[in-house]
Amino acid sequence: MKKETVSVQMESEKLRATKRYMEKKEVSLEQELGRELVKLYEKYVPAPVREYIDEASEDSKSTAKAKKPKVAEPSVSGNTM
C-alpha cells in the first residue's frame, strides 16, 4: 500500500527535549508517532472499513506478485574443453 507523510509542528525547544530524552531511552520518535497513528486509525475508522482496506491491500499485493516476470536462470553447458 502506498505510504504518505504526515507533517506536524511543535515548538523547537520542546521537540529537541522530546528527542533528547527519547534517545536516552533508545526510543525512536518516528516509531512512536507511527504507533500512535495506528491507534488513531483503529479508534476512528470503523471496523468494516478497516477490513475492506486490509482485503484490498492483500489483493493488490497478490496481484503485484503474480505480475512479476520470472527471470530465467542461465543455462549451464556441460561441455568443457
Side-chain angles (χ1 to χ4, degrees):
M1 187 178 301
K2 180 182 172 190
K3 295 192 178 203
E4 293 192 32
T5 301
V6 176
S7 177
V8 294
Q9 293 185 350
M10 182 177 191
E11 293 177 19
S12 59
E13 186 92 13
K14 291 179 180 181
L15 180 58
R16 276 195 300 273
T18 302
K19 287 181 177 180
R20 179 178 181 187
Y21 287 97
M22 289 180 82
E23 285 174 3
K24 286 184 176 184
K25 295 185 180 247
E26 298 180 359
V27 178
S28 164
L29 178 63
E30 290 80 8
Q31 288 177 344
E32 286 291 311
L33 290 172
R35 283 190 205 107
E36 293 304 315
L37 280 173
V38 170
K39 288 179 186 177
L40 290 171
Y41 170 76
E42 291 171 348
K43 180 178 180 179
Y44 290 105
V45 178
V49 175
R50 294 193 314 261
E51 185 177 318
Y52 174 79
I53 291 171
D54 290 342
E55 288 173 358
S57 175
E58 289 173 8
D59 289 345
S60 67
K61 284 180 185 176
S62 63
T63 303
K65 286 181 182 178
K67 288 183 180 180
K68 284 187 179 178
K70 292 185 179 180
V71 177
E73 300 217 5
S75 61
V76 179
S77 174
N79 296 338
T80 57
M81 294 180 131

